Structures are given as structure tokens and as C-alpha cells.
Amino acid sequence: MTATTFPTYRSRYLPAMSAAEIAALPDKEWAPVIVTTGAIEQHGPHLPVAVDALMGQAWLERIMPCLSAEASCYVAPPITIGKSNEHVGFPGTLFVSKDTLRLLLFTIARQIAAWGFRHLLVLNTHGGNTDVILYTLAEIETRWGLSTGFLRHGVDYGLSEKERTLGMHANTAETAWVRVIAPGCVDMDAAVAEYPDDAASAGELRPEAAPATFAWVTADVSRTGIMGDAPAGTAERGEAWLATTAQAYANQIETICRKNRSD
Ligand SMILES: [Zn+2]
């Protein structure tokens, strides 16, 4: 049996390096440090609560082989518990406050700056974290002089309008991804399609992705904890989406590296 290293991107994983190795890294002026931000929260009856935390690692594993020799980046320890207060009331949801998430990110950024890095990128896998991260990144730029970025893959999965606008959680895409990365943790017999009530999402007022949105908690809009068409998330679609999305993320990192090197 061949020994495998964990994680597979170990040569870029800062916690796997000695202090002397980190001090001697030659490209700290331009190579970004990536922090993944996930969540531990209910993901319907068919997916494990760690989906968002797992996805950060899944993306990193697939992104790194896509990077060219001219690109470089390093990986900070992940933030695996996020701001998931919208999923209260379901067992398995473990969350921190917006203030704790902000402080965690802020503190990691401060240390990274002290080690000599100049660029921080967040790869976020949980929608509930997004607003907190964006305002914290602005604060990090002004306080610590790091340039910051928030990766967005922008890949069109060709999903129906209903899935794109109301399929927010434990949906087709998440189900498909996890069937590939952790098939033993998925119970497709329990997967159902459930969308927030039409009454609650009529016209232009919807929970998300609409001209007018309202604050929601999952228990108000979903009986099972699923918002989306979970059974449509096949492993075949998952394989394809993982590959195209990882490549899109890698392209974005390449662009950022080029820009950092030319600045
Ligand atoms: Zn999720």
C-alpha cells in the first residue's frame, strides 16, 4: 500500500511546515494565503452536517493540481465552524456568532501579515458567512494592509430557475458534490425535493437571489431542512461540476497571482 500524505496539498499547507520553512518561503510578497470558511450545520436528512466544512477541503484538493507552475499559493488552517444561526433547531448544527467569525478571520489575517504574507483569499462554502466575511475583509485591508479577495467560481451549472433562486441548501449541487467526495456519508433514500413555500416566495420577494429578500431561518421555510431538488444531484453531475468549478477557482487564483506579481 502506498502511503498518502494528508492533506494532498501538503506542500502548500502552512500548518505542515516548520517555522523556519515558513520564514524561508520565497514568494510571500505575491503568493496569496487561502483560508477556507465552512460550516457545521444540518443539511437535510440525506447529507452529513459537515458538508460545507468538507467542501473547502474538496475544492483545495482539486484546485491545486490545476494551478500552473507560475502560480503559487499557501493554505491556512481552515475555519470549519461558521455563522449558521439560520439553521438553529436542527440537531447537528454547531455555529459561532458573526462576531466570533469576524474575529477569527481578523486574527488569522493579522498573523499571516506578521509572517510576511501580503495577500489573503477566502474560499467560502457557506452562504451564511458571506456578509460577515466581506465586511471583515474590508476591515483587514484597512487595518493590516493585506490585499484580500473572495473567490467566486461563477460556473453556470445549467440548473432550472427554480433551483437557482430557491435551491439554497442541501440542494442539487451540494448533493451531487458530496456523492462524489464522501459517498459513504450520503443516504439518497432520504433525499427529497423541497422548496420554500410559493406563498413565502411569490413574485420578487424571495429568501435569496431576488430584488427583495427577507431574513429567514430554515425551520420557517423547510420541513426537511432541504431547500432544493436533492434527488437531481447525481454523482455523474457531481464529478463534472467538481472538475469545472475547481478549474474556475484555479483560473481565478492564477489571475490574482499574475496581478500580484505585476503590482
Ligand atoms: Zn451547504
Side-chain angles (χ1 to χ4, degrees):
M1 205 173 123
T2 346
T4 51
T5 55
F6 178 84
T8 53
Y9 46 86
R10 190 164 167 178
S11 63
R12 300 182 187 276
Y13 191 48
L14 293 170
M17 299 178 194
S18 68
E21 284 171 323
I22 292 173
L25 290 173
D27 47 13
K28 281 186 279 192
E29 276 292 315
W30 61 270
V33 174
I34 300 175
V35 180
T36 58
T37 50
I40 303 286
E41 62 187 26
Q42 73 80 23
H43 268 77
H46 67 303
L47 295 175
V49 294
V51 168
D52 298 347
L54 283 171
M55 283 315 301
Q57 307 317 299
W59 293 129
L60 290 172
E61 283 194 354
R62 284 166 174 77
I63 289 167
M64 297 307 166
C66 296
L67 291 175
S68 73
E70 286 80 54
S72 177
C73 63
Y74 296 96
V75 179
I79 297 176
T80 51
I81 301 176
K83 189 204 75 66
S84 301
N85 50 353
E86 69 275 21
H87 293 282
V88 288
F90 292 89
T93 297
L94 194 64
F95 64 93
V96 295
S97 69
K98 68 180 193 321
D99 305 298
T100 301
L101 177 60
R102 172 193 161 274
L103 275 177
L104 263 174
L105 198 55
F106 197 72
T107 305
I108 290 171
R110 189 179 60 195
Q111 308 301 314
I112 282 169
W115 300 349
F117 290 101
R118 313 303 321 142
H119 305 277
L120 177 74
L121 286 180
V122 173
L123 201 177
N124 177 51
T125 53
H126 169 56
N129 292 339
T130 305
D131 291 346
V132 180
I133 293 166
L134 291 177
Y135 72 66
T136 305
L137 290 181
E139 194 183 353
I140 286 168
E141 293 221 8
T142 51
R143 283 283 292 277
W144 303 110
L146 287 172
S147 81
T148 66
F150 186 89
L151 293 170
R152 295 181 197 265
H153 65 75
V155 176
D156 181 359
Y157 283 6
L159 296 166
S160 69
E161 199 200 334
K162 190 169 192 183
E163 182 68 17
R164 277 188 283 112
T165 52
L166 295 173
M168 301 182 295
H169 184 74
N171 52 17
T172 302
E174 286 193 320
T175 303
W177 296 333
V178 181
R179 289 181 81 174
V180 177
I181 66 158
C185 299
V186 181
D187 176 9
M188 286 309 289
D189 291 340
V192 296
E194 183 182 356
Y195 290 100
D197 271 356
D198 287 343
S201 56
E204 300 198 320
L205 176 65
R206 290 192 291 257
E208 283 183 11
T213 59
F214 57 88
W216 52 274
V217 297
T218 305
D220 289 342
V221 293
S222 173
R223 188 178 47 80
T224 60
I226 293 172
M227 285 171 270
D229 185 354
T234 62
E236 193 184 5
R237 299 176 100 179
E239 289 280 6
W241 290 340
L242 285 166
T244 51
T245 306
Q247 185 63 57
Y249 277 135
N251 294 347
Q252 214 167 27
I253 295 167
E254 297 258 356
T255 304
I256 288 162
C257 286
R258 269 198 302 278
K259 183 186 175 301
N260 290 350
R261 291 181 89 158
S262 67
D263 279 352

